[in-house]
Amino acid sequence: MMHDHSIWISPIWFIAKPRLRITTNALHTREEIDRLVLGMTAVRDLMYKPTISA
C-alpha cells in the first residue's frame, strides 16, 4: 500500500492470523479516504481471484 498508493497500514499479528490496522480521523479529506478505498480494493483484487461456482 505504501509503495503503490502512498498509504501506511500497520500489520498486527494475532495468534490465529495476521490483520491490518487502519487508522483514520476527521482530519482526513474525502479524497484521502477515497484513495484508501481504491488502494484496498486494488490490493484485494491482486490477492484474491474470484472463483466461478456452477
Side-chain angles (χ1 to χ4, degrees):
M1 289 290 284
M2 185 63 167
H3 182 265
D4 293 334
H5 303 284
S6 300
I7 298 171
W8 173 255
I9 295 178
S10 300
I12 54 177
W13 300 96
F14 287 102
I15 294 171
K17 59 184 172 181
R19 298 176 187 215
L20 299 174
R21 175 169 289 155
I22 301 169
T23 305
T24 60
N25 63 46
L27 298 177
H28 286 97
T29 64
R30 181 168 186 102
E31 291 78 19
E32 291 169 329
I33 299 299
D34 288 344
R35 191 175 76 222
L36 171 64
V37 172
L38 289 173
M40 290 174 63
T41 55
V43 170
R44 178 204 60 201
D45 292 344
L46 286 173
M47 294 183 70
Y48 301 103
K49 302 297 180 195
T51 58
I52 300 172
S53 53

